[in-house]
Amino acid sequence: MKNIKLKLARVEKDLSQDELAKIVGVSRQTIGLIESGKYNPSLSLCIGICIALSRTLNDLFWDEEITD
């Protein structure tokens, strides 16, 4: 599943995939794979992305369509 929320938050901060990747210490390809839903990042990477984008884990990584 694509992570549109991550991409929108990154664009709102006026960051390229490469710029965000450098901030969090991964490759541009990793950010691209996360955004395309082809890579499931570790919790520590998720937290780093959230800090860089001034968002919460729920803002970027919670899928509201999943129900109990």
Side-chain angles (χ1 to χ4, degrees):
M1 177 183 323
K2 290 185 179 185
N3 192 330
I4 302 300
K5 293 186 281 188
L6 172 57
K7 183 175 182 176
L8 289 174
R10 176 179 58 76
V11 170
E12 285 175 6
K13 279 280 202 179
D14 198 29
L15 293 172
S16 67
Q17 287 182 347
D18 190 53
E19 290 167 328
L20 177 57
K22 287 178 182 173
I23 291 168
V24 298
V26 297
S27 69
R28 181 206 54 80
Q29 290 85 352
T30 298
I31 299 298
L33 289 171
I34 295 168
E35 288 183 359
S36 69
K38 296 179 181 175
Y39 179 77
N40 192 13
S42 67
L43 180 57
S44 61
L45 178 52
C46 289
I47 291 170
I49 290 170
C50 288
I51 291 168
L53 297 177
S54 302
R55 293 296 204 298
T56 67
L57 287 168
N58 285 350
D59 291 341
L60 298 181
F61 297 102
W62 183 255
D63 184 1
E64 295 175 0
E65 293 182 14
I66 296 175
T67 59
D68 292 330

